[in-house]
Amino acid sequence: MAHIKKKRGGVQMRLEPAEAALVRGLLGQLLEMLGDPPETGEGLAALGIAEDAALSDDPVIARLFPDAYRDDGEAAGEFRRYTELGLRDGKREAADVVLATLGDDEAARVDALLDEGQARAWLKALNDLRLALGTRLDIGEDWYEQVGALDRDDPRLPMFAAYDWLTAVQEDLVHAVW
Amino acid sequence: MSTAPAPVELERPEAREEQGADRPWVAIVWNDPVNLMSYVTYVFQTVFNYPKAKAEKLMMDVHHKGRAVVANGTREEMERDVEILHSYGLWATVKRDD
């Protein structure tokens, strides 16, 4: 099982190979959803400003990049134009920090000492994964009951299990950085 | 904020709390079923430098009342705060205070 502990100089993060594989796989899907950064060096994109921007039709992307104004579509669009490219960069960077911690060796245990910045990137990336899974699964406050009512062969069960595991790891990590 | 020298310390927290005419914008955080209570408290402490008790109270307000005003200031300041809150995955919005 994942082992997360506050240490002098940072947070120790130990993961079994299967746990590392799970995080790697989910981060790969997240990065795919986030897409590549736009070509730089030209126009507004070079300044981190989008030509135009609207709330995504994809509920996961819409949750990761919500409207900043509830009753003012124009202001929400302007905010998005100026912030979303940068926010996407930040989420990609956090995911990359986690992938770097995990390394490429799929058979190896992970045993890393995270500094403050790395731990924060882990927290953000784990949270993004939980937001993505939670949105896909339509998680509610009573999601444990939701799961209890599922058939044993329901295809969503592994996703709920992954969500549950990510939640436990994030909880441990928050307490380790506090 | 608590590490600032005394004269500055006297002014800055008040400026941050002030509801005056030049600071009529607020940042609101909304409840959602995914973000952990511990994580939300951690984010409030990290982003706003709030003491733990204040961060916890705001988190509980979000949890029980569905939302909480977590900061106030100029429109630009509130947009910057909301952008940072979005970077942490919190569901936050900007609004003119009325």
Side-chain angles (χ1 to χ4, degrees):
Chain A
M1 261 306 280
H3 174 89
I4 296 151
K5 205 167 176 218
K6 188 174 200 150
K7 290 260 173 180
R8 206 179 317 153
V11 175
Q12 185 177 43
M13 168 73 67
R14 281 194 195 144
L15 298 176
E16 297 298 324
E19 294 172 322
L22 173 69
V23 178
R24 235 185 252 117
L26 291 171
L27 284 175
Q29 292 174 34
L30 179 71
L31 285 169
E32 206 166 297
M33 263 193 293
L34 291 172
D36 293 324
E39 299 287 325
T40 50
E42 277 183 50
L44 291 170
L47 303 171
I49 302 168
E51 295 287 346
D52 68 321
L55 184 67
S56 175
D57 291 336
D58 181 331
V60 170
I61 295 296
R63 178 59 191 83
L64 292 175
F65 308 101
D67 275 339
Y69 289 83
R70 275 166 86 91
D71 308 313
D72 186 341
E74 202 183 326
E78 275 301 283
F79 178 89
R80 187 176 293 284
R81 280 185 65 218
Y82 283 89
T83 62
E84 190 171 322
L85 291 177
L87 286 168
R88 279 184 190 252
D89 282 346
K91 290 189 187 301
R92 272 189 292 264
E93 282 163 19
D96 287 340
V97 168
V98 174
L99 287 171
T101 312
L102 297 175
D104 294 330
D105 184 351
E106 299 197 354
R109 282 208 177 91
V110 173
D111 188 352
L113 187 67
L114 308 178
D115 65 25
E116 198 186 330
Q118 290 169 320
R120 191 179 307 129
W122 264 84
L123 278 174
K124 287 181 168 182
L126 288 173
N127 205 55
D128 286 340
L129 293 181
R130 292 183 60 253
L131 288 170
L133 272 178
T135 303
R136 286 275 184 260
L137 292 167
D138 200 16
I139 288 270
E141 302 276 2
D142 56 350
W143 71 276
Y144 271 108
E145 290 163 36
Q146 232 176 311
V147 176
L150 292 177
D151 279 345
R152 213 177 260 219
D153 52 359
D154 191 295
R156 288 167 297 172
L157 269 180
M159 277 166 74
F160 276 109
Y163 181 83
D164 195 26
W165 182 83
L166 289 167
T167 302
V169 171
Q170 197 192 7
E171 189 80 64
D172 285 351
L173 188 52
V174 173
H175 290 287
V177 298
W178 235 331
Chain B
M1 299 288 172
S2 60
T3 55
V8 180
E9 192 182 11
L10 282 173
E11 284 174 21
R12 286 178 70 202
E14 279 171 20
R16 191 79 178 161
E17 306 274 332
E18 195 187 335
Q19 299 276 352
D22 58 331
R23 311 181 68 78
W25 292 79
V26 291
I28 299 170
V29 169
W30 301 80
N31 192 34
D32 76 83
V34 172
N35 278 311
L36 295 170
M37 294 164 82
S38 57
Y39 179 68
V40 171
T41 309
Y42 159 82
V43 171
F44 290 163
Q45 280 190 262
T46 306
V47 172
F48 299 114
N49 220 356
Y50 289 155
K52 188 165 185 177
K54 178 168 182 174
E56 270 174 349
K57 188 194 174 299
L58 288 172
M59 178 278 292
M60 291 307 281
D61 282 352
V62 172
H63 188 65
H64 290 300
K65 299 176 186 168
R67 63 174 177 163
V69 170
V70 296
N72 61 71
T74 64
R75 183 173 188 172
E76 288 71 25
E77 286 169 339
M78 293 305 95
E79 289 196 339
R80 197 168 54 238
D81 284 348
V82 163
E83 181 179 358
I84 295 169
L85 291 167
H86 285 185
S87 80
Y88 280 92
L90 268 58
W91 181 22
T93 56
V94 184
K95 190 173 159 293
R96 187 189 280 279
D97 192 17
D98 46 29

